Amino acid sequence: MRVTIGLLPLMLALIVGAALRIELTRVAPPFLVANDSADYFAAGFNFLASGELQLSLKRTPLYSLFLAGQIQAVGPSLDRLLAMQHLAGLLTIGLTYL
């Protein structure tokens, strides 16, 4: 019982975080294809295909490499990438709590 009470804030944060993410995916487009999103996705996808990371100087490489890892794990589906990023957000809540 004591452990359960100690985990109550974590459970509440995960429930609120999941509810917000579910609502956001319900009303928002699956992937915002603006200049930034398209550039990062293309860089990650091309990195997997050719092994070369080509970004403009104003772009940081870490997010493109993160996307490349996600693309390799779940494929180039934007819906799956979105789901993976939402799961990473929930993981961040748990890690922050710890």
Side-chain angles (χ1 to χ4, degrees):
M1 181 86 164
R2 188 177 215 146
V3 175
T4 306
I5 292 173
L7 291 177
L8 189 61
L10 173 61
M11 299 308 283
L12 181 63
L14 288 172
I15 289 169
V16 170
L20 290 172
R21 290 170 191 287
I22 289 169
E23 181 62 21
L24 182 64
T25 58
R26 194 178 67 76
V27 298
F31 198 84
L32 298 174
V33 184
N35 288 342
D36 286 345
S37 299
D39 287 348
Y40 284 119
F41 178 80
F45 187 80
N46 291 335
F47 178 71
L48 283 177
S50 68
E52 295 181 20
L53 185 61
Q54 297 177 353
L55 286 171
S56 65
L57 291 176
K58 68 178 185 174
R59 304 277 184 238
T60 58
L62 195 56
Y63 186 59
S64 293
L65 294 173
F66 175 70
L67 279 175
Q70 286 188 328
I71 292 168
Q72 187 172 20
V74 298
S77 168
L78 297 179
D79 290 330
R80 288 187 210 151
L81 289 175
L82 177 70
M84 289 289 292
Q85 291 194 5
H86 282 301
L87 287 174
L90 292 175
L91 178 64
T92 302
I93 290 173
L95 291 174
T96 301
Y97 180 79
L98 293 175

